[in-house]
Amino acid sequence: MSSTKSIICKAAIAWKANTPLSIEQVEVLPPRAHEVRIKIAYTGICHTDAFTLSGDDPEGDYPVILGHEGAGIVESIGEGVTNVKVGDSVIALYTPECGECKFCKSGKTNLCGKIRATQGRGVMPDGTSRFKCKGQDILHFMGCSTFSQYTVVADISVVSVDPKVPMDRTCLLGCGITTGYGAATITAKINPGDNIAVFGAGCVGLSVIQGAAAKKAGKIIVVDINDSKREWAEKFGATDFIDPLDLPKDTNIVEKLIEITDGGCDYTFDCTGNVHVMRHALEACHKGWGESIVIGVAAAGKEIATRPFQLITGRVWRGCAFGGVKGRSQLPGLVQDYVNGTLKVDEFITHRRPLEEINQAFHDMQHGKCIRCVVNMA
Ligand SMILES: NC(=O)C1=CN([C@@H]2O[C@H](COP(=O)(O)OP(=O)(O)OC[C@H]3O[C@@H](n4cnc5c(N)ncnc54)[C@H](OP(=O)(O)O)[C@@H]3O)[C@@H](O)[C@H]2O)C=CC1
Ligand SMILES: N[C@@H](CCC(=O)N[C@@H](CSC=O)C(=O)NCC(=O)O)C(=O)O
Ligand SMILES: [Zn+2]
Ligand SMILES: [Zn+2]
């Protein structure tokens, strides 16, 4: 049912790049046509939130409410909304799904194009913001802004899920876990026995591992410069763990991977955002058919490089957003995969914090043993 009233609530605002978030009282305007206002219950913090906060995101602009890995309850809907209703348990989608645009109709990508231009400018599809604080408009982020107790999203950027599943779990299907699992089970076409390598054993990389294990991959080799991730990688199904910094001086990670996979990997995945790692991931692929999938986000100006010969001799370089998953069509099924035990979610939660401690949660993520911190937005 549509509401005409604003809501005053708490949100963590990034007033400018590279500064701690500030907990503020914000006004959240009512949803307009084809918009949904959500009471956010829990949100994860993804490395991409930190990427934008750092100032490295070419689309980054301020002041902004970050957060794109969130779940909550529909509080009100605007005119014309039919896909969700007040009271639904939902996940916000930074990759929307309109079902009508050239991209959605292509059957070749999950990258819906309907609202990407306005989303990239931090505004709603009509070009305006639904957040106000201290007399000024506050920008939206990735069409979600889950670091606010209430947020407004486009109706194509939200999906209802099983209300019996706790939202401190479903929030994590809003980005990292789904991205990694989808990269391994949808974007890559892993056959049983295929040898794969995962570079970076954070939330995304660990979820690639679980996806590859689900596809009955052969060797699942995890490459991370942080030895403490060995245990994590094995917990999610890795068969081998290599810290490149431990290799003999005369051996590099590409040679090592080619050696232990009899010519190279069938698939590799970059989950680090480091463009040099992306090159290693490509060149560790098997001649003739190996595919490397870029997931990591790199800063403005960073570019990848390799010899054209690597591609001429059959290696394929591709990437994916949100694992290639169509949020409105496929997330409810992934939630059920969690319910029936085939998709790990609980195991990713290493930290929990209240909204007031969100800056410490960013610190957790960038130091120590954090895989995912879940923030309680109450
Ligand atoms: N394409 C998409 O749709 C999405 C992309 N992303 C991006 O994916 C990447 C991973 O996200 P997330 O898992 O949350 O990030 P994390 O920071 O949790 O994980 C990154 C992992 O890579 C390791 N690492 C860093 N540098 C290297 C290196 N040179 N060689 C090997 N390992 C390395 C890190 O180790 P250490 O802990 O020691 O730093 C860490 O374990 C990020 O760039 C993020 O922005 C995230 C979600 C969706
Ligand atoms: N604004 C950033 C975009 C970085 C990026 O690639 N984002 C991913 C999701 S990362 C989630 O944690 C993505 O979905 N990209 C597709 C898109 O349409 O943006 C930049 O410009 O670097
Ligand atoms: Zn993310
Ligand atoms: Zn679309």
Side-chain angles (χ1 to χ4, degrees):
M1 116 200 33
S2 58
S3 162
T4 55
K5 290 195 177 353
S6 287
I7 288 176
I8 305 297
C9 67
K10 283 189 288 185
I13 295 181
W15 287 104
K16 55 184 181 181
N18 253 336
T19 50
L21 304 184
S22 172
I23 307 296
E24 307 279 3
Q25 291 288 332
V26 299
E27 178 186 1
V28 184
L29 277 64
R32 295 183 185 176
H34 291 288
E35 296 178 359
V36 176
R37 188 158 61 183
I38 305 168
K39 184 178 192 315
I40 295 292
Y42 293 93
T43 183
I45 300 178
C46 171
H47 200 90
T48 307
D49 295 308
F51 163 72
T52 300
L53 183 56
S54 74
D56 284 345
D57 182 349
E59 291 184 297
D61 200 354
Y62 310 87
V64 61
I65 296 174
L66 298 170
H68 62 282
E69 197 172 67
I73 301 292
V74 174
E75 175 273 338
S76 60
I77 57 176
E79 190 189 326
V81 174
T82 57
N83 58 313
V84 296
K85 63 185 184 306
V86 172
D88 279 2
S89 178
V90 296
I91 297 171
L93 301 172
Y94 68 83
T95 303
E97 185 182 351
C98 77
E100 297 159 357
C101 72
K102 181 181 180 184
F103 296 84
C104 286
K105 283 185 168 174
S106 73
K108 296 175 182 174
T109 180
N110 66 329
L111 287 173
C112 173
K114 180 121 190 227
I115 61 172
R116 184 59 182 79
T118 47
Q119 178 170 313
R121 290 192 286 111
V123 291
M124 296 302 287
D126 69 357
T128 64
S129 169
R130 299 291 168 271
F131 296 121
K132 290 188 182 310
C133 182
K134 296 179 177 171
Q136 60 178 301
D137 284 346
I138 306 299
L139 292 170
H140 296 247
F141 178 63
M142 291 173 73
C144 295
S145 290
T146 58
F147 293 171
S148 175
Q149 290 179 324
Y150 287 83
T151 189
V152 177
V153 303
D155 57 2
I156 61 172
S157 303
V158 60
V159 62
S160 288
V161 295
D162 184 343
K164 297 190 294 299
V165 184
M167 291 181 285
D168 61 344
R169 273 60 161 210
T170 56
C171 69
L172 294 184
L173 293 177
C175 190
I177 294 174
T178 300
T179 297
Y181 191 74
T185 60
I186 295 172
T187 303
K189 308 299 178 202
I190 295 174
N191 291 311
D194 280 354
N195 295 324
I196 73 128
V198 181
F199 292 73
C203 175
V204 173
L206 292 173
S207 204
V208 171
I209 297 167
Q210 74 166 330
K215 286 293 184 182
K216 302 198 184 328
K219 287 181 185 282
I220 301 175
I221 306 158
V222 175
V223 179
D224 198 302
I225 53 175
N226 182 338
D227 258 340
S228 73
K229 295 294 174 66
R230 177 189 301 271
E231 196 180 332
W232 277 100
E234 288 164 358
K235 182 174 168 182
F236 281 77
T239 58
D240 303 77
F241 181 90
I242 302 174
D243 177 345
L245 305 179
D246 290 345
L247 291 174
K249 288 279 169 283
D250 61 350
T251 306
N252 68 46
I253 186 61
V254 172
E255 292 162 346
K256 184 65 181 170
L257 289 170
I258 288 171
E259 176 203 332
I260 66 174
T261 57
D262 184 24
C265 299
D266 298 287
Y267 289 94
T268 66
F269 301 82
D270 169 73
C271 306
T272 70
N274 178 312
V275 294
H276 306 296
V277 173
M278 292 172 192
R279 176 171 193 159
H280 296 159
L282 175 85
E283 295 178 358
C285 285
H286 202 290
K287 180 177 181 180
W289 63 79
E291 282 196 26
S292 189
I293 292 165
V294 173
I295 303 173
V297 169
K302 296 286 186 190
E303 295 179 346
I304 48 178
T306 191
R307 284 195 62 211
F309 182 69
Q310 292 286 336
L311 307 185
I312 287 168
T313 49
R315 292 170 192 80
V316 173
W317 222 344
R318 69 172 73 240
C320 70
F322 198 45
V325 171
K326 287 176 169 269
R328 291 172 62 195
S329 309
Q330 296 179 294
L331 264 192
L334 285 178
V335 170
Q336 288 315 311
D337 288 346
Y338 164 63
V339 171
N340 62 37
T342 54
L343 180 68
K344 289 182 176 67
V345 175
D346 299 29
E347 293 83 349
F348 289 85
I349 303 173
T350 53
H351 295 69
R352 291 177 179 274
R353 289 202 182 262
L355 173 57
E356 289 67 22
E357 293 179 7
I358 196 163
N359 286 309
Q360 290 94 313
F362 270 85
H363 185 270
D364 293 340
M365 182 177 69
Q366 289 160 336
H367 301 82
K369 311 249 178 298
C370 178
I371 298 299
R372 266 303 188 263
C373 178
V374 171
V375 177
N376 185 333
M377 296 299 291

